[in-house]
Amino acid sequence: MALYSEKVMDHFRNPRNVGVIEDADGVGEVGNAVCGDIMKIYLKIQDDVVADVKFETFGCGSAIASSSMATELIKGKPLSDALKLTNQAVTEALDGLPAHKLHCSVLAEEAIRAAVKDYYDKNGIPYDPAQFPDCGHCEGCST
């Protein structure tokens, strides 16, 4: 059996939604150089919907594929759906990740949550702080 699924390889070789949204409504960055992966997610929100999403990821192929898939899963969806995105959903959509690479899907989930929280904070939108727990995975994370 191959270490990586065809979907992982496709999203690594042909990542979707790569780039920066200069006037992003929300930005989330997680990870650090010590753990080796850094993800930054940019959101453009219109009428409580993720109208556009872009990412920049410094890391391995699994991190890039997880970022790419996560953006595909939330684009065009209500913010409430973006907040429900789990690392398990990202992993399943990629047809699996090796156990030692599951942290990449966790970072994708956390980057999206951080971007939504940033949007809420910038716009004075009230939220339940329990929706945005500290990740505890990497020292120095911005979430």
Side-chain angles (χ1 to χ4, degrees), residues 53-67:
V53 57
K54 302 276 187 214
F55 78 91
E56 294 179 299
T57 294
F58 175 81
C60 65
S62 294
I64 293 166
S66 292
S67 300

Side-chain angles (χ1 to χ4, degrees), residues 67-82:
S67 300
S68 175
M69 181 57 81
T71 62
E72 286 288 282
L73 292 171
I74 67 166
K75 193 172 191 175
K77 300 286 185 352
L79 276 178
S80 58
D81 287 357

Side-chain angles (χ1 to χ4, degrees), residues 65-120:
S66 292
S67 300
S68 175
M69 181 57 81
T71 62
E72 286 288 282
L73 292 171
I74 67 166
K75 193 172 191 175
K77 300 286 185 352
L79 276 178
S80 58
D81 287 357
L83 280 173
K84 292 177 190 170
L85 182 71
T86 65
N87 67 299
Q88 293 92 345
V90 173
T91 300
E92 288 172 12
L94 288 169
D95 292 337
L97 286 170
H100 67 283
K101 293 296 184 177
L102 289 175
H103 70 277
C104 296
S105 63
V106 171
L107 286 174
E109 174 188 343
E110 291 170 349
I112 289 169
R113 285 187 174 278
V116 172
K117 182 180 183 300
D118 182 55
Y119 168 71
Y120 287 166

Side-chain angles (χ1 to χ4, degrees), residues 25-26 43-49 79-80 83 113-132:
D25 297 312
L43 299 176
K44 192 69 178 167
I45 310 300
Q46 292 177 344
D47 299 322
D48 212 35
V49 170
L79 276 178
S80 58
L83 280 173
R113 285 187 174 278
V116 172
K117 182 180 183 300
D118 182 55
Y119 168 71
Y120 287 166
D121 287 342
K122 285 178 178 174
N123 291 282
I125 299 170
Y127 57 84
D128 178 359
Q131 288 182 294
F132 305 98

